């Protein structure tokens, strides 16, 4: 059976009086255990189900999220142009200069002003039943027209127009500076990223050389000086890696200041 069976046997022995008597004896019969292979099979089935579920979940996430989009230099320039606070400030200055031109030209136009007054008052008369109302109204219109001022108004208008042109050219120059800064920040991030990858590969290579030198030292092929030189080379490569990572962090912050956001997966500029 699947479990243990308990049976009862009979043993015969001689007593002290020379008689035979029956002595009950219990023994247990154990059957082979078959539950462990079944449990292992169930565990393997659950593991396969979990792996299939994880694969399906990863495929669904990849389908819905899609691959990471590479960021081009044009994308960085667009964001730098739209997110620049300096450009917005100078655009406001250009609008203010345009308003100054409109005000100076308004001085050459006729100016008409008017004024109206209305007054009403009531007071008691000699008798208590009679009232007296007083109403007064006035209206005035004033028109001013500049006929001749020696050309001063026209000169002021021309000067304001030149200020507008100057402000506009300054805005164009600032736009070029903003875009140039964005390009430099983009290229610095790309360059320092490649430097960091190169330094990481160098550290891995020198670490393997150090391990090989230690193994050769254990078998007596090289001296301790060779191991020390490999350790010094590894320390120097790690120092260079830290410097490259610092330069990359600085380039990322410059990109954030120039473009207005953190850099993404920057594409190689060809």
């Amino acid at each position: 059976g699947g479990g243990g069976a308990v049976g009862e046997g009979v043993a015969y022995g001689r007593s002290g009086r020379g008689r035979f008597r029956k002595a009950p004896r219990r023994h247990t019969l154990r059957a082979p255990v078959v539950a462990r292979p079944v449990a292992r099979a169930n565990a393997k089935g659950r593991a396969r189900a979990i792996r299939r579920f994880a694969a399906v979940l990863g495929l669904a996430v990849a389908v819905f999220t899609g691959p990471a989009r590479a960021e081009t230099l044009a994308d960085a320039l667009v964001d730098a142009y739209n997110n620049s606070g300096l450009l917005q400030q100078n655009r406001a200055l250009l609008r203010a200069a345009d308003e100054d031109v409109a005000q100076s030209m308004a001085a050459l136009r006729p100016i008409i002003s008017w004024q109206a007054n209305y007054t009403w008052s009531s007071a008691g008369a000699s008798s208590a039943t009679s009232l007296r109302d007083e109403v007064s109204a006035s209206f005035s219109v004033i028109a001013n027209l500049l006929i001749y001022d020696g050309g001063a108004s026209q000169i002021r208008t021309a000067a304001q127009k030149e200020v507008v042109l100057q402000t506009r050219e300054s805005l164009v120059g600032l736009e070029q500076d903003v875009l140039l800064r964005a390009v430099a920040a983009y290229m610095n991030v790309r360059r320092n990223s490649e430097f960091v990858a190169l330094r990481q590969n160098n550290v891995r290579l020198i670490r393997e050389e150090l391990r090989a030198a230690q193994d050769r030292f254990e078998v007596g092929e090289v001296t301790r000086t060779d191991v020390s030189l490999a350790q010094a080379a590894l320390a120097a490569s790690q120092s260079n890696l830290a410097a490259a990572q610092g330069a990359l962090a600085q380039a990322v912050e410059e990109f954030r200041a120039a473009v207005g956001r953190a850099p993404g997966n920057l594409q190689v500029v060809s």
Side-chain angles (χ1 to χ4, degrees), residues 210-248:
L210 175 60
R211 186 178 296 109
Q214 291 174 348
D215 294 338
R216 289 195 299 269
F217 174 75
E218 291 177 356
V219 298
E221 293 182 359
V222 296
T223 62
R224 189 176 296 275
T225 302
D226 297 327
V227 177
S228 299
L229 290 175
Q231 291 175 349
L234 178 60
S237 64
Q238 290 175 346
S239 176
N240 293 331
L241 175 60
Q245 290 175 345
L248 177 60

Side-chain angles (χ1 to χ4, degrees), residues 127-230:
S127 61
T129 58
S130 62
L131 297 176
R132 184 179 60 190
D133 296 337
E134 294 182 357
V135 178
S136 60
S138 62
F139 182 80
S140 60
V141 177
I142 301 175
N144 295 323
L145 178 60
L146 179 61
I147 298 177
Y148 180 75
D149 60 351
S153 298
Q154 295 179 354
I155 293 175
R156 284 195 298 267
T157 302
Q160 292 298 329
K161 290 181 179 180
E162 295 298 327
V163 171
V164 170
L165 295 177
Q166 178 186 359
T167 307
R168 188 174 300 167
E169 293 300 324
S170 299
L171 179 59
V172 172
L174 287 174
E175 290 176 350
Q176 298 298 323
D177 294 339
V178 168
L179 295 180
L180 179 61
R181 184 184 179 187
V183 171
Y186 186 97
M187 300 306 296
N188 286 333
V189 172
R190 281 292 310 166
R191 181 187 62 184
N192 288 287
S193 298
E194 296 297 331
F195 282 169
V196 168
L198 183 62
R199 296 300 183 186
Q200 289 175 348
N201 293 332
N202 192 21
V203 168
R204 285 194 294 267
L205 178 61
I206 296 179
R207 187 177 285 115
E208 292 296 329
E209 292 180 353
L210 175 60
R211 186 178 296 109
Q214 291 174 348
D215 294 338
R216 289 195 299 269
F217 174 75
E218 291 177 356
V219 298
E221 293 182 359
V222 296
T223 62
R224 189 176 296 275
T225 302
D226 297 327
V227 177
S228 299
L229 290 175

Side-chain angles (χ1 to χ4, degrees), residues 71-80 83 178-190 192-193 247-267:
E71 180 182 347
T72 62
L73 179 60
D75 297 333
L77 293 178
V78 170
D79 291 335
N83 299 330
V178 168
L179 295 180
L180 179 61
R181 184 184 179 187
V183 171
Y186 186 97
M187 300 306 296
N188 286 333
V189 172
R190 281 292 310 166
N192 288 287
S193 298
L248 177 60
Q250 183 178 1
V252 167
E253 294 303 323
E254 174 62 20
F255 185 92
R256 191 190 303 273
V259 180
R261 57 172 178 78
N265 185 16
L266 302 184
Q267 188 177 3

Side-chain angles (χ1 to χ4, degrees), residues 57-77:
L57 182 61
L59 180 61
V61 171
V63 168
F64 283 104
T65 57
R69 179 179 176 271
E71 180 182 347
T72 62
L73 179 60
D75 297 333
L77 293 178

